[in-house]
Amino acid sequence: MNWIQLTTLDQLQEIKAATGYSAIFKHSTRCSISMMARKRFEIDWSAITAGTPLYFLDLIAYREVSNTIAEIFHVHHESPQLLLIKDGECIYETSHGEISAEDMADQIAP
């Protein structure tokens, strides 16, 4: 799996319009908790269905994108934060130490 850098509002609109699943990982480059959550997620991301787009947002560098995520997916801003989007709607959201690739994969599994 590889991260897709999330840097534009146009990308958010593409995620909102997409069918199927996408994930957004919001990361603060200034936060050690965020760094730990990212590392733990990456260690276990083989649990996630291949082909699931995984978007990575540096919320310090792209604050407007982060704010827009909260608006269009109706979630409270957290950092770090993981959102699972299905058919344009956020169906699963978690943050901080609760972030888990395996838990997210369970949401996708039939």
Side-chain angles (χ1 to χ4, degrees):
M1 300 286 250
N2 291 309
W3 290 115
I4 301 165
Q5 297 299 312
L6 180 54
T7 60
T8 70
L9 297 176
D10 286 343
Q11 285 176 290
L12 278 183
Q13 293 307 317
E14 291 170 10
I15 295 167
K16 181 78 173 156
T19 56
Y21 294 95
S22 299
I24 300 173
F25 185 93
K26 292 172 53 182
H27 173 72
S28 171
T29 55
R30 298 180 187 156
C31 175
S32 61
I33 293 170
S34 194
M35 294 288 252
M36 295 286 283
R38 177 184 176 182
K39 287 183 188 295
R40 195 170 66 243
F41 185 83
E42 289 176 337
I43 287 170
D44 293 330
W45 70 4
S46 61
I48 300 168
T49 303
T52 303
L54 298 173
Y55 291 89
F56 180 86
L57 174 67
D58 175 346
L59 63 89
I60 302 296
Y62 300 99
R63 176 68 65 188
E64 181 183 17
V65 175
S66 179
N67 292 338
T68 304
I69 286 171
E71 290 173 23
I72 69 172
F73 294 114
H74 309 289
V75 296
H76 180 74
H77 166 77
E78 298 284 345
S79 172
Q81 185 175 37
L82 177 66
L83 288 78
L84 180 61
I85 312 302
K86 181 182 181 191
D87 300 331
E89 300 297 325
C90 182
I91 62 162
Y92 173 77
E93 176 272 325
T94 192
S95 63
H96 297 87
E98 300 299 314
I99 292 173
S100 163
E102 290 176 346
D103 289 349
M104 190 186 92
D106 289 344
Q107 301 295 315
I108 296 172

